[in-house]
Coordinates of all heavy atoms in Angstrom, one line a residue:
D60 N -187.2 -142.7 65.3 CA -186.3 -143.8 64.8 C -186.1 -143.8 63.4 O -187.1 -144.1 62.6 CB -187.0 -145.2 65.3 CG -186.9 -145.4 66.8 OD1 -186.1 -144.8 67.4 OD2 -187.9 -146.1 67.3
L61 N -184.9 -143.4 63.0 CA -184.7 -143.4 61.6 C -184.0 -144.6 61.0 O -183.2 -145.2 61.8 CB -183.7 -142.1 61.3 CG -184.4 -140.8 61.7 CD1 -183.4 -139.7 61.5 CD2 -185.7 -140.5 60.8
N62 N -184.2 -145.0 59.8 CA -183.3 -146.1 59.2 C -182.0 -145.5 58.8 O -181.8 -144.3 58.9 CB -184.1 -146.7 58.0 CG -184.3 -145.8 56.9 OD1 -183.5 -145.0 56.5 ND2 -185.5 -145.9 56.2
P63 N -181.1 -146.3 58.3 CA -179.8 -145.8 58.1 C -179.7 -144.7 57.1 O -178.9 -143.7 57.1 CB -179.0 -147.0 57.5 CG -179.7 -148.2 58.1 CD -181.2 -147.8 58.1
Y64 N -180.6 -144.7 56.0 CA -180.7 -143.7 55.0 C -181.2 -142.4 55.7 O -180.6 -141.3 55.5 CB -181.6 -144.1 53.9 CG -181.7 -143.0 52.8 CD1 -180.6 -142.8 51.9 CD2 -182.9 -142.3 52.6 CE1 -180.7 -141.8 50.9 CE2 -182.9 -141.3 51.6 CZ -181.9 -141.1 50.8 OH -181.9 -140.2 49.8
G65 N -182.2 -142.4 56.5 CA -182.7 -141.3 57.2 C -181.6 -140.7 58.2 O -181.5 -139.5 58.3
K66 N -180.8 -141.5 58.8 CA -179.8 -141.0 59.6 C -178.7 -140.3 58.8 O -178.2 -139.2 59.2 CB -179.1 -142.2 60.4 CG -180.0 -142.7 61.5 CD -179.4 -143.9 62.2 CE -180.3 -144.5 63.2 NZ -179.9 -145.7 63.8
D67 N -178.3 -140.8 57.7 CA -177.4 -140.1 56.8 C -177.9 -138.8 56.3 O -177.2 -137.8 56.3 CB -177.0 -141.0 55.6 CG -176.0 -142.2 56.1 OD1 -175.4 -142.0 57.1 OD2 -175.9 -143.1 55.3
F68 N -179.2 -138.8 55.9 CA -179.8 -137.6 55.5 C -179.9 -136.5 56.6 O -179.5 -135.4 56.3 CB -181.3 -137.9 55.0 CG -182.1 -136.7 54.7 CD1 -181.8 -136.0 53.6 CD2 -183.3 -136.5 55.4 CE1 -182.6 -134.9 53.1 CE2 -184.1 -135.4 55.0 CZ -183.8 -134.6 53.9
M69 N -180.2 -136.9 57.7 CA -180.2 -136.0 58.9 C -178.8 -135.5 59.2 O -178.6 -134.3 59.4 CB -180.7 -136.8 60.1 CG -180.9 -135.9 61.4 SD -182.3 -134.8 61.2 CE -183.5 -135.8 62.0
G70 N -177.8 -136.4 59.1 CA -176.5 -136.0 59.4 C -175.8 -135.1 58.4 O -174.9 -134.3 58.8
K71 N -176.4 -135.0 57.2 CA -175.8 -134.1 56.2 C -176.6 -132.8 56.1 O -176.4 -132.0 55.1 CB -175.7 -134.8 54.9 CG -174.7 -135.9 54.8 CD -173.3 -135.3 54.8 CE -172.3 -136.4 54.6 NZ -170.9 -135.8 54.7
G72 N -177.6 -132.6 56.9 CA -178.3 -131.3 56.9 C -179.7 -131.3 56.6 O -180.4 -130.3 56.6
R73 N -180.3 -132.5 56.2 CA -181.7 -132.7 56.0 C -182.3 -131.7 55.0 O -183.2 -131.0 55.3 CB -182.4 -132.4 57.4 CG -183.8 -133.0 57.5 CD -184.3 -132.7 58.9 NE -185.7 -133.2 59.1 CZ -186.3 -133.2 60.2 NH1 -185.8 -132.6 61.3 NH2 -187.4 -133.8 60.3
N74 N -181.7 -131.6 53.9 CA -182.2 -130.8 52.8 C -181.8 -131.4 51.5 O -181.3 -132.5 51.4 CB -181.7 -129.3 53.0 CG -180.2 -129.3 53.1 OD1 -179.5 -130.2 52.5 ND2 -179.6 -128.3 53.7
A75 N -182.1 -130.6 50.3 CA -181.9 -131.2 49.0 C -180.4 -131.5 48.9 O -180.0 -132.4 48.2 CB -182.4 -130.2 48.0
A76 N -179.5 -130.6 49.4 CA -178.1 -130.8 49.3 C -177.6 -132.1 50.0 O -176.7 -132.7 49.6 CB -177.4 -129.6 49.8
A77 N -178.3 -132.4 51.1 CA -178.0 -133.6 51.9 C -178.3 -134.8 51.0 O -177.6 -135.8 51.1 CB -178.8 -133.6 53.2
L78 N -179.4 -134.8 50.2 CA -179.8 -135.9 49.4 C -178.6 -136.2 48.4 O -178.2 -137.3 48.2 CB -181.1 -135.6 48.7 CG -182.3 -135.6 49.4 CD1 -183.5 -135.2 48.6 CD2 -182.6 -136.9 50.1
K79 N -178.1 -135.1 47.8 CA -177.0 -135.2 46.9 C -175.7 -135.8 47.5 O -175.0 -136.6 47.0 CB -176.7 -133.9 46.2 CG -177.7 -133.4 45.2 CD -177.7 -134.2 44.0 CE -178.8 -133.8 43.0 NZ -178.9 -134.8 41.9
A80 N -175.5 -135.2 48.7 CA -174.2 -135.6 49.5 C -174.2 -137.0 49.8 O -173.1 -137.6 50.0 CB -174.1 -134.7 50.7
I81 N -175.4 -137.7 50.0 CA -175.4 -139.1 50.4 C -175.7 -140.1 49.3 O -175.9 -141.3 49.5 CB -176.4 -139.3 51.6 CG1 -177.8 -139.1 51.2 CG2 -175.9 -138.5 52.8 CD1 -178.8 -139.4 52.3
E82 N -175.8 -139.6 48.0 CA -176.1 -140.5 46.9 C -175.2 -141.6 46.7 O -175.5 -142.7 46.3 CB -176.2 -139.7 45.5 CG -177.5 -138.8 45.5 CD -177.5 -138.1 44.1 OE1 -176.6 -138.0 43.4 OE2 -178.7 -137.6 43.9
S83 N -173.9 -141.3 46.9 CA -172.8 -142.3 46.6 C -172.6 -143.3 47.8 O -172.0 -144.3 47.6 CB -171.5 -141.6 46.3 OG -171.0 -140.9 47.3
L84 N -173.2 -142.9 48.9 CA -173.2 -143.8 50.1 C -174.1 -145.1 49.9 O -175.0 -145.0 49.0 CB -173.6 -143.1 51.4 CG -172.8 -141.9 51.8 CD1 -173.4 -141.3 53.1 CD2 -171.3 -142.2 51.9
D85 N -173.8 -146.1 50.6 CA -174.6 -147.3 50.7 C -175.1 -147.3 52.1 O -174.6 -148.1 52.9 CB -173.8 -148.5 50.3 CG -174.7 -149.8 50.4 OD1 -176.0 -149.7 50.6 OD2 -174.2 -150.9 50.3
S86 N -176.1 -146.5 52.4 CA -176.5 -146.3 53.8 C -176.9 -147.6 54.5 O -176.6 -147.8 55.6 CB -177.7 -145.4 53.9 OG -177.3 -144.1 53.5
D87 N -177.6 -148.5 53.7 CA -178.1 -149.8 54.4 C -177.2 -151.0 54.2 O -177.5 -152.0 54.6 CB -179.5 -150.1 53.9 CG -179.6 -150.3 52.4 OD1 -178.6 -150.4 51.7 OD2 -180.8 -150.3 51.9
K88 N -176.0 -150.6 53.6 CA -175.0 -151.7 53.4 C -175.4 -153.0 52.7 O -175.0 -154.1 53.1 CB -174.4 -152.0 54.8 CG -174.0 -150.9 55.7 CD -172.8 -150.3 55.1 CE -172.3 -149.1 56.1 NZ -171.8 -147.9 55.4
D89 N -176.2 -152.8 51.7 CA -176.7 -154.0 51.0 C -176.0 -154.2 49.6 O -176.3 -155.0 48.9 CB -178.2 -153.9 50.7 CG -178.6 -152.7 49.8 OD1 -177.7 -151.9 49.4 OD2 -179.8 -152.5 49.6
G90 N -174.9 -153.3 49.4 CA -174.1 -153.5 48.2 C -174.5 -152.6 47.1 O -173.8 -152.6 46.0
F91 N -175.5 -151.8 47.3 CA -175.9 -150.9 46.2 C -176.0 -149.4 46.8 O -176.5 -149.2 47.9 CB -177.4 -151.2 45.8 CG -177.5 -152.6 45.1 CD1 -177.7 -153.7 45.8 CD2 -177.3 -152.7 43.7 CE1 -177.8 -155.0 45.2 CE2 -177.3 -153.9 43.1 CZ -177.5 -155.0 43.8
S92 N -175.4 -148.5 46.1 CA -175.4 -147.2 46.5 C -176.8 -146.6 46.6 O -177.7 -147.1 46.0 CB -174.6 -146.3 45.5 OG -175.3 -146.1 44.3
N93 N -176.9 -145.5 47.4 CA -178.2 -144.9 47.6 C -178.8 -144.5 46.2 O -180.0 -144.8 46.0 CB -178.2 -143.7 48.5 CG -177.8 -144.2 49.9 OD1 -178.1 -145.2 50.4 ND2 -177.2 -143.3 50.7
I94 N -178.1 -143.8 45.4 CA -178.6 -143.4 44.1 C -179.0 -144.6 43.2 O -180.0 -144.5 42.4 CB -177.7 -142.4 43.4 CG1 -178.4 -141.8 42.2 CG2 -176.4 -143.1 42.9 CD1 -179.5 -140.9 42.6
A95 N -178.2 -145.7 43.2 CA -178.6 -146.9 42.4 C -179.9 -147.4 43.0 O -180.8 -147.9 42.2 CB -177.5 -147.9 42.6
E96 N -180.1 -147.4 44.2 CA -181.4 -147.9 44.8 C -182.6 -147.0 44.4 O -183.7 -147.4 44.0 CB -181.3 -148.0 46.3 CG -180.4 -149.1 46.7 CD -180.9 -149.8 47.9 OE1 -182.0 -150.4 47.8 OE2 -180.2 -149.9 48.9
I97 N -182.4 -145.6 44.5 CA -183.4 -144.6 44.1 C -183.7 -144.8 42.7 O -184.9 -144.9 42.3 CB -182.9 -143.3 44.5 CG1 -182.8 -143.1 46.0 CG2 -183.8 -142.3 43.9 CD1 -182.0 -141.9 46.5
N98 N -182.7 -145.0 41.8 CA -183.0 -145.1 40.4 C -183.8 -146.5 40.1 O -184.6 -146.5 39.1 CB -181.7 -145.1 39.6 CG -181.1 -143.7 39.5 OD1 -181.9 -142.7 39.7 ND2 -179.9 -143.5 39.3
A99 N -183.5 -147.4 40.9 CA -184.2 -148.7 40.7 C -185.5 -148.8 41.4 O -186.3 -149.8 41.2 CB -183.3 -149.9 41.2
G100 N -185.8 -147.8 42.2 CA -187.1 -147.8 42.9 C -187.1 -148.7 44.2 O -188.2 -149.0 44.7
T101 N -185.9 -149.0 44.7 CA -185.8 -149.7 46.0 C -185.5 -148.8 47.1 O -185.2 -147.6 46.9 CB -184.8 -150.9 45.9 OG1 -183.5 -150.3 45.6 CG2 -185.2 -151.9 44.8
L102 N -185.5 -149.3 48.3 CA -185.3 -148.4 49.5 C -183.8 -148.4 50.0 O -183.3 -149.4 50.4 CB -186.2 -149.0 50.6 CG -187.7 -149.3 50.3 CD1 -188.4 -149.8 51.6 CD2 -188.3 -147.9 49.9
P103 N -183.3 -147.2 50.0 CA -181.9 -147.0 50.3 C -181.6 -147.2 51.8 O -180.5 -147.2 52.2 CB -181.6 -145.6 49.9 CG -182.9 -144.9 49.9 CD -183.9 -145.9 49.5
G104 N -182.7 -147.3 52.6 CA -182.5 -147.4 54.0 C -182.9 -148.9 54.6 O -183.0 -149.0 55.8
D105 N -183.3 -149.7 53.6 CA -183.7 -151.1 54.0 C -182.9 -152.1 53.3 O -183.1 -152.3 52.1 CB -185.1 -151.2 53.7 CG -185.7 -152.6 54.1 OD1 -185.0 -153.5 54.5 OD2 -187.0 -152.8 53.9
P106 N -182.0 -152.9 53.9 CA -181.1 -153.9 53.3 C -182.0 -155.0 52.6 O -181.5 -155.7 51.8 CB -180.3 -154.3 54.4 CG -180.9 -154.0 55.6 CD -181.7 -152.8 55.4
A107 N -183.2 -155.2 53.1 CA -184.0 -156.2 52.5 C -184.6 -155.8 51.1 O -185.2 -156.6 50.4 CB -185.2 -156.6 53.4

Side-chain angles (χ1 to χ4, degrees):
D60 290 335
L61 299 173
N62 65 37
Y64 182 73
K66 287 176 184 172
D67 284 343
F68 175 62
M69 184 74 94
K71 288 292 184 181
R73 196 180 187 178
N74 52 29
L78 292 176
K79 287 287 175 196
I81 64 173
E82 284 184 346
S83 64
L84 301 180
D85 176 10
S86 293
D87 59 12
K88 310 290 185 215
D89 62 4
F91 295 90
S92 68
N93 294 334
I94 190 64
E96 295 220 54
I97 290 163
N98 288 335
T101 59
L102 306 179
D105 178 357

